[in-house]
Each structure stands twice: as C-alpha cells, then as structure tokens.
Amino acid sequence: MSNLITLVRPLRREQIRRVTKNLRYITGIQNVPNYCVAHWTECKFLPLSDFEFLVEDMRFMGENHGLTSHKDRAIIIREDVYERACEGCGRDRMTIIHEVGHTCLHAPENVEFARSFDGPIPAFRSAEWQAKAFAAELIVPHDLLESGMRVSDVAETFGVSSEAASYQLKVYQREGLIKLDGSFDENDPSIVWVKSSV
C-alpha cells in the first residue's frame, strides 16, 4: 500500500481564489487584512460547516501540526501550533487555514486513489498544494494589497512570514494581478514594491 498515491479533483489557483474570496465575504472579513484565524475558524467558519475543531497535545499529534478528517468531520490542530497561531505566528496561522482548506476542497467525492502515476503529481491534482494555495489566498488576498507595499509590509499587514509574503507576491505578479515597481530586484524581499495592476 505504500505506493498508493492520492489524487484530488483538479483545481487551478484561480478557482481556489474564488472559493476563498467567497468565504471571506460570507464570514465578513472581505476587507480585513489580519484577523485571529483560530477565532475565525471556530466562530465564523465552523458554524457554516458540520466539522468540529479539536486541539490536541503532542502525544496525540506527534509530528503532525494539523490534520483534517472528513470521516470524523474534524479539524485537529496540535496544541503548540494553536497557541502560536493565537499569538500571531504566521506559519501556524497558515497551518490552521491549510486544514480549513482541506475541509472545503477535499470532500471524499473529490478524492481519487491511484496505485501508480507516471511522473510527479501535477500541483493542481495535489491535495497539499491545493490546501497551501487556499491558505495563502485566504490570508493574503491580492485585492487588499496596497500600492507601494514591500514584502515586509505585506508580512506585517497580513500576519505571515516574509517567505510566505514573498511567495504570494510572486504568484500574483506571475498571474498579472500586481506588478513590481520599475527597477527593483524581485528576488530581494526587502525591496519588492507592489502596485495594483488595475
């Protein structure tokens, strides 16, 4: 069974973006750049779903920071991850929303299993890539970026790491949603300037 590969229904980032935009709207955070993801998950998202939210200790979770079980209808977060997310740690905030992504995108009817697959799994068929994209889009939506923001500004404004902010800005630039200002080096996260393309 170790060669069993899990594939999910194909989703492009723009499709995931539409899901996150709708979710931000129906939970009332469409104009809020930074919010407590634990409170949002427990008080805004869960009432819309039939999932429960559990915080477990390291003895139960081991190396797993978070898990989602469609069978048990539960999002399970390791206690230290939950606590750091509540304190504003970007990586741990992303972990909670990553698990929310699994609940929204990966219901059993969207999951396939294959015993073999030629080559690497395309990102748009990977449950982990999709949940990572979901978290990035929900936490750093392009329509809340302001002209003149540097990577450090984005990280601080949205409560994410500099690495996550830089990655998401590059995604938005690649998709033509934002552009870099003139002569700045896009590979230097301290001087990336962003302005709206619309």
Side-chain angles (χ1 to χ4, degrees):
M1 284 291 211
S2 62
N3 64 344
L4 190 65
I5 297 172
T6 304
L7 302 175
V8 292
R9 180 173 59 93
L11 285 174
R12 295 184 313 276
R13 187 176 273 269
E14 63 205 46
Q15 294 170 297
I16 295 168
R17 185 173 299 133
R18 281 196 299 271
V19 171
T20 61
K21 187 170 186 166
N22 288 337
L23 191 53
R24 285 182 70 91
Y25 180 79
I26 63 175
T27 59
I29 60 164
Q30 65 272 24
N31 297 316
V32 181
N34 194 340
Y35 51 95
C36 176
V37 299
H39 175 80
W40 178 87
T41 302
E42 294 175 88
C43 299
K44 302 285 188 177
F45 173 72
L46 289 179
L48 302 173
S49 76
D50 60 348
F51 276 74
E52 63 179 321
F53 189 79
L54 305 172
V55 178
E56 297 285 355
D57 63 26
M58 287 187 80
R59 288 182 312 229
F60 178 83
M61 296 294 287
E63 295 298 312
N64 294 307
H65 288 202
L67 298 168
T68 298
S69 171
H70 278 273
K71 178 181 173 227
D72 298 325
R73 311 303 288 171
I75 296 171
I76 310 162
I77 301 296
R78 200 171 73 190
E79 185 176 33
D80 60 321
V81 173
Y82 178 83
E83 289 170 0
R84 286 191 306 264
C86 290
E87 293 167 1
C89 176
R91 184 175 192 276
D92 297 307
R93 294 177 76 243
M94 284 281 203
T95 297
I96 291 176
I97 300 303
H98 178 101
E99 297 307 325
V100 170
H102 283 305
T103 71
C104 293
L105 305 176
H106 303 132
E109 61 270 16
N110 294 333
V111 177
E112 303 171 13
F113 295 95
R115 290 196 179 276
S116 63
F117 194 78
D118 293 330
I121 297 174
F124 63 89
R125 301 282 321 262
S126 163
E128 291 308 306
W129 177 86
Q130 289 181 5
K132 182 179 178 181
F134 178 97
E137 294 287 338
L138 191 71
I139 292 179
V140 187
H142 74 89
D143 49 350
L144 293 186
L145 293 171
E146 294 179 13
S147 201
M149 280 183 149
R150 294 174 293 170
V151 167
S152 58
D153 298 324
V154 173
E156 184 178 338
T157 299
F158 295 93
V160 296
S161 68
S162 292
E163 294 79 16
S166 180
Y167 179 82
Q168 193 65 359
L169 291 173
K170 287 176 183 175
V171 167
Y172 289 148
Q173 181 199 12
R174 191 171 53 245
E175 294 184 9
L177 296 169
I178 61 172
K179 57 186 176 179
L180 298 180
D181 192 11
S183 61
F184 293 103
D185 176 4
E186 69 179 87
N187 295 315
D188 183 346
S190 67
I191 56 172
V192 175
W193 287 80
V194 181
K195 59 184 180 180
S196 174
S197 62
V198 290

